[in-house]
Amino acid sequence: MKILILGGTSESRNLAAAVNEEPGIEAVTSLAGRLADPVLPVGQTRIGGFGGPSALAQWLLQNSIDVVVDATHPFAATIGTHAELATRLTGTALLVLTRPPWKAGEGDRWTSVASMPEAAASVTPGSRVFLTIGRQGVHHFAHVEHSWFLVRAIDRPDGPVPPHMTLVLDRGPFDERHEATLLAEHRIDLVITKNSGGDMTRAKLDAARATSVPVLMVDRPARPTAASTVDTVDAAVDWLRNRLLAAI
Ligand code: NAP
């Protein structure tokens, strides 16, 4: 059984490593090519966009793909839609692997917003903001002149950026102590993040809770799907095993 893993997440790398051990399954992971120095998964990889849903469909046929696993980031909505269309066009099976969103608990001071522009509009003048949304959305805050931003990303944002900003280039995972020190050193009074979910980047939320710093949480884009959906790598491997058994 030949599978295409749409990647760019830790789950996709864990899945590639897991299926590498599975007899009868051959996997190739696809990355968008956004990062200058990506962490590569075990096994075969291809890098770069396909050129839209029809081109993805053609790629699936040319490479005799039996199953697509969409293990992309919950905020990568376009490739998810393309995967739906391309698998429907070609009659290829689709499995969506997506981590559960974070949920506010006791002591959290979260306000949910639906989008980056809404988050930008919600910043109170004079704020000292820890903006931890990756580099792609930073341009939404470029017009916010009344506050100061600590922006953390793996690579430098390439669009416009806020006028009062310090950039930290760093890659997680981070622990709570690291995050609490960052919040204290920069006298942060607001954290802006998106609801990515997962353990790799949640320490900033634990630190914000422990220090009573409020969080503006950007909700995930809606991603309706008719495909089977799982939220752990183990469940994805089980699903693939069952599919393989059914085909024998
Ligand atoms: P997106 O908006 O959903 O996709 C934009 C375009 O990038 C797609 O139309 C596709 O180009 C290409 N693309 C995206 N993921 C791809 C993949 N895995 N393999 C090949 N092409 C891909 O995606 P995005 O938000 O820019 O994210 C890009 C990648 O970074 C994703 O793979 C995602 O898993 C990872 N990532 C995203 C975030 C985030 O916050 N958005 C965070 C961490 C990691 P074509 O139409 O030309 O095929």
Side-chain angles (χ1 to χ4, degrees):
M1 187 165 79
K2 208 166 165 196
I3 71 171
L4 171 67
I5 302 171
L6 296 169
T9 55
S10 54
E11 289 79 10
S12 65
R13 288 190 292 277
N14 293 341
L15 179 63
V19 295
N20 195 47
E21 306 293 320
E22 289 291 317
I25 302 181
E26 183 188 338
V28 54
T29 300
S30 175
L31 301 175
R34 294 279 184 278
L35 295 178
D37 182 20
V39 183
L40 291 176
V42 170
Q44 297 175 56
T45 48
R46 63 160 304 286
I47 299 184
F50 293 92
S54 311
L56 173 56
Q58 214 175 351
W59 194 95
L60 297 179
L61 294 176
Q62 278 166 355
N63 290 275
S64 309
I65 298 297
D66 300 298
V67 178
V68 174
V69 183
D70 176 8
T72 55
H73 191 273
F75 278 77
T78 308
I79 189 68
T81 308
H82 290 187
E84 295 269 350
L85 290 169
T87 49
R88 217 175 299 149
L89 275 172
T90 54
T92 311
L94 174 64
L95 175 67
V96 177
L97 166 58
T98 191
R99 53 178 104 134
W102 293 313
K103 290 203 165 65
E106 210 185 317
D108 282 322
R109 298 177 60 202
W110 296 8
T111 303
S112 290
V113 290
S115 65
M116 292 298 166
E118 194 183 332
S122 307
V123 177
T124 311
S127 297
R128 295 183 62 82
V129 182
F130 179 26
L131 185 62
T132 163
I133 56 167
R135 77 189 163 104
Q136 290 197 62
V138 175
H139 65 93
H140 290 292
F141 297 82
H143 66 284
V144 184
E145 295 178 359
H146 55 59
S147 292
W148 175 86
F149 291 85
L150 175 69
V151 175
R152 182 170 69 195
I154 296 174
D155 284 333
R156 192 169 281 280
D158 32 38
V161 295
H164 311 295
M165 171 189 104
T166 295
L167 179 65
V168 177
L169 296 180
D170 209 351
R171 194 194 295 257
F174 307 101
D175 63 24
E176 187 180 336
R177 197 161 157 190
H178 176 278
E179 301 296 66
T181 305
L182 201 71
L183 297 184
E185 271 178 358
H186 295 279
R187 292 178 288 114
I188 298 297
D189 52 27
L190 179 66
V191 174
I192 301 181
T193 191
K194 52 190 185 190
N195 200 336
S196 301
D199 293 333
M200 291 262 290
T201 56
R202 79 147 293 134
K204 61 193 167 205
L205 299 171
D206 299 332
R209 176 193 292 176
T211 53
S212 278
V213 173
V215 174
L216 268 183
M217 182 64 74
V218 181
D219 287 336
R220 295 175 172 196
R223 203 160 154 182
T225 179
S228 304
T229 302
V230 290
D231 61 10
T232 65
V233 170
D234 285 348
V237 173
D238 282 347
W239 188 95
L240 291 166
R241 275 191 200 132
N242 287 338
R243 176 114 202 152
L244 183 61
L245 284 174
I248 293 172

